[in-house]
Amino acid sequence: MANIKSAKKRILVARTKTERNKAIRSKVKTYIKKVYAAIDANDKEAAQVALKAATVEIDKACTKGVYHKKNASRKVSRLAQAVNKLA
């Protein structure tokens, strides 16, 4: 355990940020699963609505620093590509 006050604070701050990042990542994964569920159900309208919501959440996570810009872009691109393949 840390003895120095600043080190103790860093531990607390790191724990807080880790929990926040974990919650945001979990939320993004949930939205991504909703898109793929709509795709599996072959429901193009629902998939497009879910894609829009997922894109917003991924972009929010990107601006908060949870995901790198290119990682977020790749996720959105793959989702959009999967939705566009629906007949």
Side-chain angles (χ1 to χ4, degrees), residues 20 24 27-28 31 53-67 72:
R20 174 179 157 267
I24 292 170
K27 193 174 186 181
V28 168
Y31 277 91
T55 303
V56 169
E57 287 303 318
I58 292 169
D59 288 341
K60 280 184 190 175
C62 180
T63 57
K64 290 179 181 177
V66 178
Y67 287 119

Side-chain angles (χ1 to χ4, degrees), residues 31 34-54 79 82-87:
Y31 277 91
K34 287 179 183 177
V35 174
Y36 283 120
I39 290 170
D40 290 340
N42 215 13
D43 188 358
K44 189 163 180 126
E45 288 93 32
Q48 287 174 336
V49 170
L51 173 65
K52 194 166 195 149
L79 285 174
V83 170
N84 288 337
K85 279 186 181 177
L86 283 176

Side-chain angles (χ1 to χ4, degrees), residues 1-18:
M1 185 65 197
N3 292 323
I4 298 167
K5 188 176 180 183
S6 62
K8 289 178 183 178
K9 182 181 177 183
R10 293 307 324 151
I11 290 168
L12 291 174
V13 170
R15 186 179 302 146
T16 305
K17 288 186 176 185
T18 301

